[in-house]
Amino acid sequence: MSIEIRRVEGKRDRKQFIRFAWDIYRKDERLNRYWVPPVISDYMKTLDTARYPLYDHADLALFTAWKNGQMAGTIAAIENRRHNEVHQDKVGFWGFFECIDDQKVADALFDAASAWLRTKGLDAMRGPVSPSMNDQCGMLVKGFDSAPVFLMLYNPEYYNRLVVNYGHSTGQELLAWYIDQKKIDIGRLRKIAAHVQKREQLTIRTIRMNDFQNEVEKIRDIYNKAWEKNWGFVPMTDKEFDHMAKSLKPIAKEHFIYFVEDRDGRTIGFSLTLPDMNIPLKHVNGNPLTPWGLFKFWWYGRNISAFRTITMGVLPEYRNKGIDSMLNVHIADYGGRFGLFSSEMSWVLKSNEAMSKLAKVIGGIPYKEYVIYEKSI
């Protein structure tokens, strides 16, 4: 019962690497109930070092594990040079981890990833990060009884055992907050927002979709400044940010993206909320662009009733002034008027007390938890 590790090479191998997840989730009735298949074409781009902008400053190695002639697991190893320049460390990353419930297979995958990372001069591994902190990260440890929202991960419970048994420990804990529209004290929130807006002499507006590129530049500037002190944060390059904006533009809604401006018209804060596209994606089996996939995507996407607030940021000099209340009241008002019954605020560092306090103010419940693991190599 030997375990063989193979290095992924070429487009055909990459697609096989991605498709392995179906073997894990489709064969388990409970997992399949909640799992949302990844969009294969999107993952193909993300794992293509010639196309995805992250790899202008990162390297990637993909490995598959085989047991008795059958694929049994996958893992990616990532060297993010920009991360190590910013944080002055030697951390490598692993992600896209899928594995049968077999510790020897998991150990072989982690051995392959750590050996490759050591060749890059790195002394620690951190994950899951797929493939960067600006993409999908964190392993689910609580909240297995509901589907993941758009761009969040889902995994079997036993994955955590496989990771910990290999010697990983908790690096950071992440929270996802569930917000029920019916439980928001919208009247109180409006009063707080109005007070902040008057006191700070601010205005708030929606994104101008006909001036999308300039609006994206405003978001990029605030995003990089607002998050620069956060754990693990690496400022996006212009190329990375433009790629992300281009990929999200088709699903962006005007009343889900807000800007706060000071009395001189300078943008000092923003929030980015997106419809939960996982609701229709659940039904297209990873292929939304086929004729049948397009129909199903349209059919199940007609009345999306949930959304996800992905990020909210204000310039450092405006922190702790209640700017978030202005953003939240507009998001909640719009959701309440148009039948969006729930939202998820994710992800939030568990150690970020300010964001947790904000989530509680609007009735949030921390219903899912994720872990980013670490291990010395």
Side-chain angles (χ1 to χ4, degrees):
M1 293 188 179
S2 62
I3 297 168
E4 178 189 2
I5 295 293
R6 300 178 189 175
R7 178 80 179 264
V8 171
E9 304 286 353
K11 187 175 180 179
R12 182 178 179 181
D13 283 357
R14 280 205 311 277
K15 191 166 187 178
Q16 187 181 43
F17 177 98
I18 294 165
R19 290 287 310 183
F20 174 72
W22 274 251
D23 290 347
I24 297 294
Y25 299 92
R26 286 293 193 226
K27 294 178 180 179
D28 185 305
E29 183 178 349
R30 182 171 181 269
L31 293 176
N32 191 42
R33 182 185 309 166
Y34 302 117
W35 178 62
V36 178
V39 178
I40 295 171
S41 59
D42 285 350
Y43 269 36
M44 287 292 286
K45 293 174 185 176
T46 301
L47 297 175
D48 187 344
T49 56
R51 299 177 66 185
Y52 201 63
L54 171 71
Y55 306 116
D56 288 347
H57 55 83
D59 286 332
L60 172 77
L62 304 177
F63 301 95
T64 55
W66 298 74
K67 180 179 179 180
N68 300 329
Q70 298 292 319
M71 190 185 292
T74 63
I75 199 168
I78 306 105
E79 179 205 17
N80 189 330
R81 295 183 296 277
R82 189 169 167 86
H83 168 92
N84 291 319
E85 290 167 4
V86 170
H87 294 279
Q88 295 295 297
D89 55 20
K90 295 181 179 180
V91 173
F93 298 90
W94 57 268
F96 299 97
F97 175 79
E98 305 287 358
C99 189
I100 63 172
D101 191 0
D102 186 314
Q103 190 65 51
K104 291 183 179 180
V105 174
D107 290 351
L109 287 167
F110 286 121
D111 282 347
S114 61
W116 183 85
L117 292 170
R118 285 195 299 270
T119 68
K120 299 292 184 176
L122 306 174
D123 58 20
M125 63 194 302
R126 181 182 294 168
V129 174
S130 306
S132 80
M133 291 290 292
N134 291 314
D135 294 283
Q136 295 175 295
C137 55
M139 183 165 284
L140 187 67
V141 297
K142 176 186 175 183
F144 294 96
D145 57 350
S146 62
V149 300
F150 188 50
L151 299 179
M152 293 294 284
L153 295 172
Y154 187 82
N155 54 264
E157 294 182 55
Y158 71 80
Y159 277 16
N160 294 282
R161 170 169 42 82
L162 298 179
V163 175
V164 171
N165 285 349
Y166 186 70
H168 285 86
S169 58
T170 298
Q172 279 290 338
E173 296 172 289
L174 317 176
L175 297 176
W177 292 80
Y178 178 83
I179 299 165
D180 186 337
Q181 283 286 131
K182 295 179 182 178
K183 295 183 178 179
I184 296 176
D185 188 343
I186 194 68
R188 177 172 175 266
L189 194 58
R190 284 197 190 103
K191 289 178 182 178
I192 295 172
H195 174 72
V196 171
Q197 187 167 347
K198 182 178 180 181
R199 184 191 66 207
E200 303 295 332
Q201 300 181 58
L202 303 172
T203 57
I204 188 167
R205 65 173 178 82
T206 58
I207 190 172
R208 299 182 182 112
M209 296 299 289
N210 60 356
D211 192 25
F212 189 76
Q213 189 56 45
N214 286 329
E215 299 284 68
V216 166
E217 290 176 8
K218 293 172 185 174
I219 292 175
R220 174 171 50 222
D221 180 61
I222 296 173
Y223 180 78
N224 284 338
K225 290 178 180 176
W227 285 61
E228 64 180 349
K229 302 297 183 182
N230 279 23
W231 179 86
F233 176 72
V234 177
M236 284 191 187
T237 65
D238 290 354
K239 190 175 177 182
E240 285 178 285
F241 211 95
D242 288 342
H243 181 274
M244 181 190 71
K246 184 179 179 181
S247 65
L248 295 179
K249 184 179 179 181
I251 61 172
K253 304 292 184 182
E254 180 183 6
H255 289 277
F256 279 160
I257 304 174
Y258 289 95
F259 292 92
V260 177
E261 298 174 339
D262 66 14
R263 60 184 175 182
D264 298 319
R266 181 177 67 129
T267 303
I268 59 94
F270 79 96
S271 64
L272 171 62
T273 299
L274 294 173
D276 184 9
M277 303 310 295
N278 272 7
I279 292 173
L281 286 175
K282 171 71 176 174
H283 302 277
V284 301
N285 201 33
N287 294 290
L289 300 181
T290 63
W292 188 231
L294 281 169
F295 175 77
K296 283 189 169 183
F297 187 77
W298 167 78
W299 180 263
Y300 290 101
R302 291 173 302 159
N303 298 301
I304 295 176
S305 56
F307 52 97
R308 175 191 172 201
T309 297
I310 294 179
T311 185
M312 186 179 292
V314 297
L315 293 177
E317 60 266 34
Y318 278 92
R319 285 178 187 156
N320 303 315
K321 292 181 180 290
I323 310 302
D324 49 81
S325 65
M326 294 174 58
L327 295 163
N328 277 317
V329 77
H330 280 75
I331 295 169
D333 262 338
Y334 181 80
R337 290 199 311 271
F338 291 92
L340 298 165
F341 71 87
S342 68
S343 67
E344 179 176 299
M345 184 184 293
S346 59
W347 49 264
V348 178
L349 287 172
K350 194 172 186 178
S351 59
N352 189 336
E353 295 180 1
M355 284 302 295
S356 292
K357 182 179 179 180
L358 162 63
K360 290 177 183 177
V361 165
I362 56 176
I365 299 171
Y367 80 125
K368 290 186 180 182
E369 294 185 16
Y370 301 80
V371 168
I372 296 178
Y373 291 101
E374 291 186 351
K375 182 182 184 299
S376 298
I377 55 173

